[in-house]
Amino acid sequence: MADRPQPTRADERGLRTARELEGHVGWLDTFSGTALGVLATASGIYTYLGVSSLLDDNGAMSVFAAIAYSVAVSVGIFVFWSYLMRLFPTVRTARARIGLAGAMGLGSLAIVAMSSWLNAAALAGSAAVEQHLAETVQDYQSSLERAHEIAISAQALQRDVARVRQSFEDLSEQEAEGSLSGLAGRGAVFRVLRQKAAELEALETQIAEQTPLVDQSFAEGNAILSRMRALTVEQGPVEARSVEFSEAAVNLQGIITQLRQLSVAPLVERAAQDLAASVVLPELDGRTEENRGNQAATITSVLEVLGQRAATLETAAQNVMNQTPATEVQYTPVSAADAVILYARNFVPSWAGAIAIDLLPAVLVFILAITQSAIREGREGASVEDTMTLAELRAAMAAFRDVEGQSQTHTAQETPSAPASEQAPPEGSSVATIRKSSS
């Protein structure tokens, strides 16, 4: 039999490294299962807290359901990563590793779906619900301010109405002095001008009466908003605060609706349309035909001016009505689990921790795979006797002695007179190889 080539120094270093890594892996295996069990249990606890936040009923059946789900999650995580920690580092072909990597990716997605988002709900669920309350307060504040802004813009129409009223009163004073129709006194033209001035004065008074109501509604809305802001940061369970917050939101929505109704823009628009359309023409009271003709011509001019002023008022009212209305805001209560998904961008650290506690074993799987690959690379090209440790050699020698003793006993029973040389095993047998290694 040809002599086996002696191992090089590089082969010896590879063997030493492989044996050292095997020693470390063997030591790490003593507590890897325990560590994996702790991670799975911790994930199960947070999963239980997350599931509990989703269940409306707090009875025994709900508690049992939450416990059953969390236990199933813990067992699933433990078994899943135990399989991969044993199998993934062992396989050698690229096809097998790609297949197991795909299975690991699919299993990781399943773990995130059934556990990680519930862990995030347990870690940041209350904060996420508070974030939802804060966002809703901002929406209601914007809606309230917009409704108030439109109502104030409508109240500003009072100045336009007052300006038109004043113009008609001035014209009536001129008519009383005879500057319009040429007839001094309070005749037909004077009465037409005063009629429209009185209508505009009544409209102006009606608009002024709305101002205190607008201010009061806005003050009430701000008071409710202040209470809602306080509820977002108060101590105590967020569920109880959410109930009070919901009641306040309903009241605030009523205030916003009231502010919309207090807008006088539609009223001014209708009044402007009626201003020129509903004119009661008095009987011309001139003594002569010429005087009555002057009165008729003056009234016609007054009606033209009246139409222009009415069109101006109607345009101003329509500009207010065409403003972008306040956004309809409706508060929708959300659970802690839904809130962490809705505002996930604000709770990245919590999501990272919730996912890491479930997927951290993936790092251990890759570490083991790299280590096992290094061990195989260190042992590549080495023969069996080169890779045997002292403990393995002792075990082999003990096995050799047992086999040799049993063989000699069996041979002595069948052919007692056979020479000892015939009882020796062939040179190429495994027993001979062990004897040669021990020598």
Side-chain angles (χ1 to χ4, degrees), residues 155 158 203-213 264:
Q155 292 301 116
Q158 181 182 358
L203 178 61
E204 185 181 356
T205 302
Q206 190 173 0
I207 294 174
E209 291 175 350
Q210 296 286 86
T211 301
L213 299 178
V264 296

Side-chain angles (χ1 to χ4, degrees), residues 3 30 74 115 262 268 271 363 399:
D3 293 337
T30 59
S74 298
S115 175
L262 288 175
V268 174
V363 180

Side-chain angles (χ1 to χ4, degrees), residues 76 80-81 84 97-115 359 362 366:
F80 175 74
W81 290 119
L84 286 175
R97 290 199 171 186
I98 293 174
L100 284 179
M104 182 168 61
L106 183 62
S108 297
L109 291 177
I111 289 174
V112 172
M114 71 180 182
S115 175
L359 303 187
F366 287 120

Side-chain angles (χ1 to χ4, degrees), residues 53-360:
S53 66
L54 294 176
L55 300 177
D56 297 331
D57 187 15
N58 295 325
M61 184 57 67
S62 298
V63 174
F64 177 76
I67 293 175
Y69 186 86
S70 61
V71 170
V73 167
S74 298
V75 173
I77 292 175
F78 182 82
V79 172
F80 175 74
W81 290 119
S82 296
Y83 271 59
L84 286 175
M85 289 178 69
R86 290 293 180 182
L87 299 180
F88 191 87
T90 307
V91 297
R92 299 189 179 188
T93 64
R95 182 177 180 181
R97 290 199 171 186
I98 293 174
L100 284 179
M104 182 168 61
L106 183 62
S108 297
L109 291 177
I111 289 174
V112 172
M114 71 180 182
S115 175
S116 297
W117 71 289
L118 294 172
N119 296 347
L123 290 172
S126 297
V129 174
E130 291 177 352
Q131 179 71 26
H132 179 63
L133 299 182
E135 294 283 347
T136 305
V137 168
Q138 293 180 1
D139 294 339
Y140 272 115
Q141 181 176 359
S142 299
S143 181
L144 177 65
E145 291 177 351
R146 184 59 180 166
H148 180 253
E149 180 182 353
I150 295 176
I152 292 299
S153 299
Q155 292 301 116
L157 293 173
Q158 181 182 358
R159 294 191 294 269
D160 297 328
V161 174
R163 185 168 59 252
V164 176
R165 173 187 58 78
Q166 188 63 44
S167 67
F168 283 114
E169 288 182 352
D170 294 340
L171 289 175
S172 66
E173 294 298 330
Q174 294 176 17
E175 174 63 16
E177 295 174 358
S179 301
L180 295 182
S181 63
L183 300 174
R186 301 187 174 186
V189 177
F190 178 85
R191 291 195 296 273
V192 170
L193 292 171
R194 280 297 183 179
Q195 172 189 345
K196 294 304 170 184
E199 291 179 7
L200 292 172
E201 184 178 6
L203 178 61
E204 185 181 356
T205 302
Q206 190 173 0
I207 294 174
E209 291 175 350
Q210 296 286 86
T211 301
L213 299 178
V214 171
D215 295 339
Q216 180 182 357
S217 297
F218 187 61
E220 292 177 358
N222 281 324
I224 296 175
L225 275 175
S226 298
R227 179 54 187 161
M228 293 170 71
R229 292 192 192 93
L231 288 173
T232 61
V233 296
E234 279 186 359
Q235 299 295 327
V238 70
E239 292 81 5
R241 286 182 283 151
S242 297
V243 174
E244 186 176 353
F245 187 93
S246 179
E247 296 175 355
V250 173
N251 295 333
L252 182 58
Q253 186 60 44
I255 296 295
I256 295 174
T257 302
Q258 183 177 351
L259 277 174
R260 292 197 191 99
Q261 295 173 351
L262 288 175
S263 175
V264 296
L267 178 64
V268 174
E269 182 188 28
R270 290 193 298 270
Q273 293 172 352
D274 295 340
L275 191 62
S278 59
V279 178
V280 179
L281 296 177
E283 183 180 357
L284 301 179
D285 53 0
R287 294 181 180 181
T288 64
E289 188 67 25
E290 181 181 1
N291 290 338
R292 287 192 292 272
N294 291 337
Q295 285 181 329
T298 303
I299 290 175
T300 301
S301 299
V302 168
L303 292 178
E304 292 179 358
V305 173
L306 184 62
Q308 296 174 358
R309 298 291 189 273
T312 301
L313 277 179
E314 185 177 0
T315 300
Q318 288 177 349
N319 290 337
V320 174
M321 295 173 62
N322 291 335
Q323 292 183 9
T324 303
T327 305
E328 290 284 346
V329 181
Q330 184 176 3
Y331 169 65
T332 304
V334 295
S335 63
D338 293 334
V340 294
I341 296 177
L342 187 62
Y343 301 99
R345 65 185 182 277
N346 298 325
F347 300 97
V348 174
S350 298
W351 270 98
I355 295 175
I357 197 174
D358 289 334
L359 303 187
L360 179 61

